[in-house]
Amino acid sequence: GENVEQHPSTLSVQEGDSAVIKCTYSDSASNYFPWYKQELGKGPQLIIDIRSNVGEKKDQRIAVTLNKTAKHFSLHITETQPEDSAVYFCAASKGNNRLAFGKGNQVVVIP
Amino acid sequence: KAGVTQTPRYLIKTRGQQVTLSCSPISGHRSVSWYQQTPGQGLQFLFEYFSETQRNKGNFPGRFSGRQFSNSRSEMNVSTLELGDSALYLCASSFDSLSFYGYTFGSGTRLTVV
């Protein structure tokens, strides 16, 4: 089945700096790549997603890039704020309503 | 509109017992999926239900089962509980299983097996 790897496991950034999380996937049939943010005591929340026919997508301070040839995709958070501190998960799907998740990144924004 | 509602939020059970968890999806969502989240294994797919039928199944033993009702509400059951079943169980709903636009997750049920 699909295998999604996520690096680094923990990321500390100064407030106002950028954070980048990278993921790789194994199944070239995957065509949908969402990113989820999980805060303590809550379920994961979808923050941005991208489909395989698009190379980049941006939503305010968050952007995602996809390189299908290399089978990797990245989450970029600019101008980080303390409320960005959370665990971020990348995931991949072949469109069958089933997601394979990475193990998650703990992002810590230092005020 | 109301989000995905999972009940109960917390459960403590003894080894060998069984447990039933409940999930009410977002109104209009017909697909409900279940995931197990643990620190070691992360988020692992259990199964997906659509129109009362199991459409996808993950690699979990038969002790894990589920069902979906005509109003799209879903339940999952774990029988003969083991210590390793301690986890956060997340339910997620989506609108259409043929055009996947991602899930909306509930806050989960934290199951502790002692």
Side-chain angles (χ1 to χ4, degrees), chain B residues 30-74:
Chain B
R30 294 193 294 164
S31 172
V32 175
S33 297
W34 289 88
Y35 283 78
Q36 181 195 65
Q37 185 176 24
T38 58
Q41 298 300 316
L43 283 145
Q44 292 189 291
F45 176 79
L46 281 156
F47 28 65
E48 182 227 357
Y49 286 86
F50 180 79
S51 292
E52 302 179 63
T53 301
Q54 188 181 86
R55 294 176 63 91
N56 283 295
K57 188 177 188 306
N59 298 323
F60 278 81
R63 300 185 297 106
F64 293 81
S65 63
R67 59 178 176 168
Q68 186 180 35
F69 302 95
S70 59
N71 61 357
S72 294
R73 191 177 71 84
S74 177

Side-chain angles (χ1 to χ4, degrees), chain A:
Chain A
E2 173 67 278
N3 182 44
V4 177
E5 295 196 0
Q6 194 168 347
H7 304 280
S9 59
T10 303
L11 179 62
S12 295
V13 296
Q14 288 292 137
E15 183 177 355
D17 287 350
S18 295
V20 181
I21 304 170
K22 299 179 181 179
C23 286
T24 59
Y25 62 99
S26 61
D27 193 335
S28 56
S30 290
N31 57 17
Y32 175 68
F33 307 91
W35 286 88
Y36 285 84
K37 174 183 180 182
Q38 188 173 26
E39 297 173 318
L40 206 59
K42 298 183 180 180
Q45 178 188 6
L46 179 68
I47 56 172
I48 195 166
D49 56 13
I50 192 167
R51 296 194 176 272
S52 58
N53 59 348
V54 176
E56 183 174 357
K57 184 176 178 181
K58 190 174 180 180
D59 182 5
Q60 299 183 335
R61 296 187 296 109
I62 294 173
V64 57
T65 58
L66 171 66
N67 183 326
K68 286 191 296 182
T69 304
K71 288 192 273 188
H72 67 70
F73 55 115
S74 301
L75 177 71
H76 304 252
I77 307 173
T78 59
E79 301 172 15
T80 52
Q81 301 169 4
E83 53 265 36
D84 294 328
S85 295
V87 178
Y88 291 81
F89 293 93
C90 63
S93 172
K94 292 186 282 191
N96 57 352
N97 245 38
R98 175 174 177 169
L99 285 174
F101 282 88
K103 290 290 179 71
N105 287 94
Q106 175 72 59
V107 173
V108 178
V109 180
I110 303 166

Side-chain angles (χ1 to χ4, degrees), chain B:
Chain B
K1 60 182 179 183
V4 178
T5 303
Q6 291 189 246
T7 56
R9 288 296 309 274
Y10 302 93
L11 267 177
I12 300 176
K13 290 286 187 180
T14 304
R15 273 182 301 174
Q17 286 186 314
Q18 75 165 13
V19 66
T20 299
L21 312 182
S22 179
C23 172
S24 294
I26 289 174
S27 178
H29 284 192
R30 294 193 294 164
S31 172
V32 175
S33 297
W34 289 88
Y35 283 78
Q36 181 195 65
Q37 185 176 24
T38 58
Q41 298 300 316
L43 283 145
Q44 292 189 291
F45 176 79
L46 281 156
F47 28 65
E48 182 227 357
Y49 286 86
F50 180 79
S51 292
E52 302 179 63
T53 301
Q54 188 181 86
R55 294 176 63 91
N56 283 295
K57 188 177 188 306
N59 298 323
F60 278 81
R63 300 185 297 106
F64 293 81
S65 63
R67 59 178 176 168
Q68 186 180 35
F69 302 95
S70 59
N71 61 357
S72 294
R73 191 177 71 84
S74 177
E75 290 181 346
M76 69 162 281
N77 184 277
V78 187
S79 62
T80 319
L81 284 166
E82 300 176 359
L83 295 178
D85 297 333
S86 295
L88 180 66
Y89 290 88
L90 290 160
C91 167
S93 74
S94 60
F95 179 70
D96 186 335
S97 73
L98 298 180
S99 301
F100 189 35
Y101 289 95
Y103 300 130
T104 299
F105 280 93
S107 294
T109 294
R110 172 73 62 184
L111 172 65
T112 302
V113 182
V114 297

